[in-house]
Amino acid sequence: MAFARLSTIVSIALVASQTANAALTKRVTCASGHVTANAACCALFPIVDQIQKDLFDGGECGEEAHSALRLVFHDAIGFSIYGGKGGGADGSILAFNETETAFHANGGIDDIVARQFPVFLETKLSAGDFVHLAGAIGTANCAGAPRLQFKFGRPPPKAAAPDLTIPEPTDSVTKILARFADAGFSPQEAVALLASHTIAAADEVDTTIPGTPFDSTVSTFDTQVFLEVLLKGNLFPGNGSQVGEVLSPLHGEMRLQSDFAISQDRRTACFWQQMINNQNFMMSQFKAAMAKLQVLGQRNLIDCSDVVPIPKPFTSAIKFPASFSKKDVQIACPQLAFPSLATVAGPAPTIPPVPGS
């Protein structure tokens, strides 16, 4: 009898759970024919198309897409879990652009702000929703990227973020990790966010070589940057040694001082090395850290992640650049087995700048 009653209770609970899940996953068909989890998201589908056309050349993983992702970070990191450092992921970098683009750490970001601003005005989104939607769309244009979340409904920003909230390439690892911790991120989450450098390039570290990428596969969101930062450097790609860079292993590629220092530091080296040729792990770690970054300081948002395009997958194994092998790796985590990687055939490459820089 007791068992029968228990079975009945379990059955009722299961039905209730299934009914609740069905309600939670109920889909809405928009007038455009798109299907979404929330009717409020329907208005975003034509805006996604507009952003792809007007900012990303129809869906390319180019300079604008890379810069849009950079803008997301520079906007959101102006935040502290203890208060007093700005509104976080609120779009202040776009709404108060004259103030924030003048910050030293925002060098070169005025180009993407200028590109985005007129499109932002046309969409009538809040500045925060625009910055973070554009960043998610641009990232989705890069093969191998995770499909980032997008939460909708940020209010207009109240003020510019204060200066000195954005880590710089010249900062020590301790200072960088402290700034991330102040915003609520662990050392591992800080490394995960640096996966963005796989599609990034430098314009301001050495102004003689704008668009200098940080790895040899700048249009693919892969783990190549985690490998190449560890390779022994022997050259500077431009006009000699510049503040914020260290020797690079490849012609045409820049290695940031901060990236190399983080790759070698005992607090972060093993997590850095764990990313190498571990695409799914890198994607999941980056997506989770970005989900946290994209809502810093925001509340009561609507999940409209299904408006974000689905990126093309990257399923290949990464390789050492031509002429490099494991003997060239500056291993800082000997307790973790280094992955076995093939080497690209041919002579050492020269990496071209990012088009449009």
Side-chain angles (χ1 to χ4, degrees), residues 77-239:
I77 201 64
F79 179 79
S80 171
I81 56 176
Y82 306 104
K85 281 193 171 68
D90 62 357
S92 65
I93 199 165
L94 192 61
F96 300 97
N97 56 75
E98 290 188 5
T99 298
E100 295 198 30
T101 56
F103 297 165
H104 182 266
N106 284 336
I109 217 161
D110 53 329
D111 289 342
I112 188 62
V113 168
R115 283 291 309 275
Q116 288 194 3
F117 196 79
V119 184
F120 151 62
L121 293 178
E122 289 179 11
T123 65
K124 296 181 170 50
L125 293 177
S126 71
D129 281 346
F130 185 88
V131 167
H132 294 276
L133 178 59
I137 296 168
T139 303
N141 292 337
C142 302
R147 190 189 196 189
L148 298 181
Q149 75 164 27
F150 173 68
K151 298 290 184 72
F152 181 42
R154 294 168 181 80
K158 295 179 180 178
D163 200 358
L164 306 179
T165 59
I166 303 165
E168 299 206 48
T170 53
D171 290 342
S172 69
V173 176
T174 295
K175 184 175 181 180
I176 291 170
L177 295 182
R179 176 74 274 274
F180 273 103
D182 183 45
F185 293 90
S186 69
Q188 290 76 22
E189 288 172 324
V191 172
L193 288 171
L194 289 173
S196 62
H197 285 185
T198 188
I199 57 166
D203 291 327
E204 297 294 319
V205 175
D206 185 338
T207 56
T208 67
I209 48 169
T212 303
F214 299 143
D215 77 10
S216 58
T217 56
V218 72
S219 293
T220 304
F221 205 103
D222 56 21
T223 66
Q224 196 77 29
V225 69
F226 291 101
L227 170 64
E228 292 178 13
V229 165
L230 292 180
L231 299 179
K232 294 174 183 175
N234 55 25
L235 58 90
F236 292 106
N239 189 25

Side-chain angles (χ1 to χ4, degrees), residues 7 37 94 111 118 126 133 136 154 163 170 174 233 242 246 251 257 262 291 293 306 344:
S7 298
L94 192 61
D111 289 342
S126 71
L133 178 59
R154 294 168 181 80
D163 200 358
T170 53
T174 295
Q242 303 294 320
V246 294
H251 287 281
Q257 175 183 317
I262 289 170
L293 179 78
D306 50 17
V344 176

